[in-house]
Amino acid sequence: MANLSAEYLLTKLTDAKNHFERALDCKHTEFDDLYPYMIEHPQFFWYKRYVAWSELLTLIKLSEELEIDWKSQFTEKQAEYVTSRVMSSRVLDEWYETNDSKEHVG
């Protein structure tokens, strides 16, 4: 069995994070190529996000098991969302933290 380097796993984690963010932004991902007929269905984008989220959580779980610091790849709030493991509408709406109420306090 080959040894996984921390650098390799963090690269894969970054790829998974980018995949999730592309899915959030409704941009093209590998998933579109695998299931081109799905684009016609309204639930497609939700399912596409779910698949990307699952991939991200799998790599984070593996990182934790190998005691590799994955949190440095995320903002503090994103790390909290990932730790909770539940992809909610709040995660979808606030992943990029552009709606941070502290910024809008007058």
Side-chain angles (χ1 to χ4, degrees), residues 1-102:
M1 183 167 109
N3 290 331
L4 287 177
S5 71
E7 182 180 333
Y8 174 80
L9 192 57
L10 290 175
T11 298
K12 292 298 179 186
L13 182 60
T14 298
D15 291 347
K17 181 183 179 202
N18 289 338
H19 181 209
F20 176 67
E21 289 176 348
R22 289 186 65 79
L24 275 181
D25 297 339
C26 298
K27 292 183 179 176
H28 186 85
T29 68
E30 291 177 10
F31 192 77
D32 298 287
D33 296 333
L34 292 172
Y35 302 101
Y37 62 89
M38 288 287 292
I39 293 171
E40 301 169 11
H41 301 280
Q43 73 274 19
F44 171 74
F45 290 108
W46 179 255
Y47 188 68
K48 179 177 169 176
R49 291 170 182 160
Y50 171 76
V51 169
W53 182 248
S54 296
E55 176 187 14
L56 186 60
L57 292 181
T58 299
L59 284 162
I60 287 172
K61 182 178 180 183
L62 184 57
S63 297
E64 288 174 344
E65 289 174 0
L66 296 172
E67 298 179 355
I68 296 171
D69 175 33
W70 59 269
K71 291 184 180 182
S72 61
Q73 307 295 312
F74 298 84
T75 67
E76 186 177 330
K77 194 57 120 173
Q78 289 171 343
E80 287 177 24
Y81 294 144
V82 170
T83 301
S84 73
R85 303 187 63 82
V86 176
M87 184 179 64
S88 65
S89 60
R90 183 171 187 190
V91 172
L92 298 176
D93 291 342
E94 299 178 14
W95 181 259
Y96 295 112
E97 299 187 43
T98 55
N99 297 331
D100 190 347
S101 59
K102 289 181 277 188

